[in-house]
Amino acid sequence: MLMRTDPFRELDRLAQQAFGAVGTWSRPSPVPMDAYRRDDEFVVELDLPGVAPDAIELSVERNVLTVKAERRPTARGEDCEMQIAERPLGVFSRQLFLGDGLDTDHISANYEAGVLVLRIPVAEKAKPRRIAISHHDHERRAIDA
C-alpha cells in the first residue's frame, strides 16, 4: 500500500550524514521513518526531534503525502561560544506515494516527543469482504415447468 519509488534516497541520506550537509528548501534532508500496518490502518512514524510543531507542513496531493519540517537554530546569545554542533539544522522532507487502497481523506497526525505519527486508514473498497454466492434450485425449475 505504501510505495517507495526513489532508489537513490538512501544513498543521498548516507552522503548527507557523512558530509554534514544542511537541508535547504530546494534540497531538503531526508526524514527517517518507520511504517507498518496494524489492522485496518497504516502507521507512519517520522523522527523530527527538536522541530517545533508550527514548523511542520503536512499535505496530500494525488495520493502523494508530503512531510516538510524545518529545524531552526536556537538563539543562544552573543556571549555563547559553541563547542560542539552535531545536531543538524535546516529543512527535512519525506514523500510517500500512497496506494489507491488507502483513505487519504481521513489521515490523522499527532506530534509528541519529537515523533510525528500519521495514521492512514485502509479504504473501505480495499478491505477484505465476503462475497455471497447465489445458486438456483434445479429441482424447483423442473416442477414448475
Side-chain angles (χ1 to χ4, degrees):
M1 296 275 186
L2 296 175
M3 298 174 278
R4 287 183 175 225
T5 60
D6 188 354
F8 300 104
R9 186 78 165 175
E10 185 66 14
L11 184 60
D12 192 33
R13 182 186 69 78
L14 292 172
Q16 286 182 347
Q17 278 183 339
F19 300 115
V22 174
T24 63
W25 282 104
S26 61
R27 187 151 175 82
S29 298
V31 177
M33 69 169 222
D34 290 336
Y36 54 92
R37 181 174 178 166
R38 178 181 292 149
D39 298 323
D40 287 338
E41 70 179 2
F42 275 90
V43 179
V44 179
E45 299 171 340
L46 298 115
D47 284 346
L48 295 169
V51 175
D54 64 341
I56 300 172
E57 292 179 13
L58 185 60
S59 64
V60 176
E61 183 178 347
R62 295 185 183 164
N63 287 2
V64 177
L65 174 76
T66 302
V67 178
K68 265 196 172 177
E70 183 176 9
R71 185 178 302 127
R72 300 173 182 127
T74 306
R76 293 184 172 85
E78 292 182 26
D79 59 337
C80 177
E81 183 180 328
M82 184 62 76
Q83 300 298 310
I84 298 172
E86 295 179 345
R87 296 173 47 215
L89 300 174
V91 179
F92 302 86
S93 179
R94 190 71 183 241
Q95 284 191 320
L96 299 172
F97 295 87
L98 306 178
D100 291 331
L102 296 176
D103 185 356
T104 58
D105 292 332
H106 294 96
I107 296 174
S108 66
N110 183 43
Y111 183 64
E112 188 173 332
V115 178
L116 177 64
V117 179
L118 308 175
R119 296 186 184 285
I120 310 166
V122 174
E124 287 298 320
K125 66 180 180 182
K127 291 181 184 177
R129 62 190 180 284
R130 295 194 68 139
I131 299 171
I133 301 171
S134 64
H135 66 282
H136 299 286
D137 189 352
H138 295 291
E139 290 178 18
R140 179 177 257 178
R141 279 191 183 169
I143 295 172
D144 291 340

